[in-house]
Amino acid sequence: MTFEEALALLKAGKKVVRTQGWSGAENYVKLYDSIVLESGEKLEVTPYFLINVSGEGEGFSMWAPTPCDVLADDWSLVE
């Protein structure tokens, strides 16, 4: 699928990944719009992407799509 289609899924709370363009341990990208503090308080924040890179032992990292990601058509929904 295209990035435009993947973006619609991200906005719906789904997880997506590139199936061909990434050769590392990226598991998925997800869009977040809030942070829950240790006290349980939920803060609404400017939406941001996180990428799960747990295969590299890093956990999650901030992510911004590159031009290659935006133009790619190898995006897939992660169940």
Side-chain angles (χ1 to χ4, degrees), residues 17-56:
V17 68
R18 287 198 53 200
T19 57
Q20 297 173 10
W22 293 342
S23 59
E26 295 86 356
N27 293 323
Y28 59 83
V29 170
K30 189 167 181 197
L31 181 64
Y32 292 86
D33 62 2
S34 63
I35 298 171
V36 178
L37 301 177
E38 290 181 17
S39 65
E41 180 182 5
K42 183 177 179 180
L43 302 177
E44 301 297 323
V45 298
T46 302
Y48 60 96
F49 294 111
L50 288 182
I51 187 167
N52 179 300
V53 289
S54 61
E56 297 288 324

Side-chain angles (χ1 to χ4, degrees), residues 8-19:
L9 292 172
L10 287 166
K11 288 180 176 181
K14 305 294 184 181
K15 302 172 190 173
V16 297
V17 68
R18 287 198 53 200
T19 57

